[in-house]
Amino acid sequence: MKLETSRLILNGINESQTEDILKIRSNPEVNKFVKRVSPKTNYDALQFILTIKERVQNNQTVYWGISLKDRLNLIGTICLWNFSEDRKTAEVGYELLPEYHRQGIMSEALNAVLDFGFNDLHLQEIVAITNKINENSKGLLIKYDFILLEGKKDEGFPDNIIFSLKRPASNG
């Protein structure tokens, strides 16, 4: 499931990336808009990686670590998960270390993942949930023509808003 863009490699994650995952998922800036239990130790990060690997094997998620082509370490992650029962809808999730924000990196990664989701997985809709004050994330979604679903709620997370992108109509 490796994806490549002009600057990035998106690839599955593994145990050798425990420290990178710990760095990303425990970063206070990354977690500012995300309600989750952050890993505190390499062991916590390793448990997360093993959980993700199991979910990938069971086709519950498609999960990529993001790295720059000239470096091995991960700078972020992006995934398709929360698939509908008919596998026509999935949710996209992403995170990026703050020192790589505002460089078009997540835009490049998202573009590759949207292409994969619609063309390889034949999804009809990709949903994204973000915090209503996360301007970077909202801007990214709007850039890719995601539509804000007014009035749709993320149960238990009143600060979140939900966006949707329908499969582009084919010109056939």
Side-chain angles (χ1 to χ4, degrees):
M1 296 283 199
K2 181 175 171 181
L3 302 177
E4 277 192 51
T5 69
S6 60
R7 295 184 292 170
L8 307 174
I9 293 177
L10 281 61
N11 215 343
I13 60 171
N14 64 56
E15 294 84 341
S16 72
Q17 296 162 317
T18 299
E19 288 187 15
D20 290 345
I21 291 294
L22 178 63
K23 185 177 175 185
I24 294 164
R25 292 187 64 86
S26 65
N27 185 289
E29 185 71 19
V30 170
N31 288 326
K32 192 160 68 177
F33 300 116
V34 184
K35 301 272 185 272
R36 67 175 172 208
V37 177
S38 298
K40 306 274 185 278
T41 64
N42 278 357
Y43 180 80
D44 295 343
L46 179 61
Q47 289 306 114
F48 173 78
I49 290 169
L50 295 174
T51 299
I52 291 301
K53 285 178 75 171
E54 185 180 321
R55 289 181 183 162
V56 167
Q57 248 175 336
N58 296 336
N59 289 320
Q60 293 171 279
T61 187
V62 188
Y63 197 96
W64 295 271
I66 301 169
S67 54
L68 295 167
K69 279 188 174 173
D70 59 354
R71 296 200 205 113
L72 285 173
N73 59 312
L74 299 181
I75 60 171
T77 68
I78 189 165
C79 65
L80 290 170
W81 70 292
N82 205 5
F83 287 86
S84 61
E85 216 168 294
D86 63 7
R87 309 278 299 176
K88 291 192 182 322
T89 302
E91 183 179 330
V92 66
Y94 44 81
E95 57 197 350
L96 187 66
L97 288 170
E99 58 263 37
Y100 297 97
H101 288 184
R102 311 211 66 71
Q103 297 174 33
I105 290 170
M106 194 52 76
S107 181
E108 212 171 294
L110 180 61
N111 191 38
V113 168
L114 292 176
D115 183 62
F116 178 84
F118 288 128
N119 296 318
D120 293 74
L121 298 181
H122 309 291
L123 294 170
Q124 298 302 310
E125 179 183 22
I126 296 176
V127 173
I129 299 175
T130 192
N131 188 289
K132 63 187 173 197
I133 59 170
N134 187 341
E135 296 303 326
N136 287 352
S137 186
K138 290 192 314 191
L140 176 66
L141 296 171
I142 290 165
K143 174 182 178 178
Y144 282 94
D145 299 323
F146 278 78
I147 306 294
L148 176 63
L149 300 177
E150 301 278 354
K152 190 155 185 198
K153 301 275 183 250
D154 184 12
E155 286 306 314
F157 300 94
D159 292 334
N160 286 352
I161 52 178
I162 302 174
F163 286 83
S164 165
L165 180 65
K166 300 275 194 218
R167 178 188 186 90
S170 56
N171 302 329

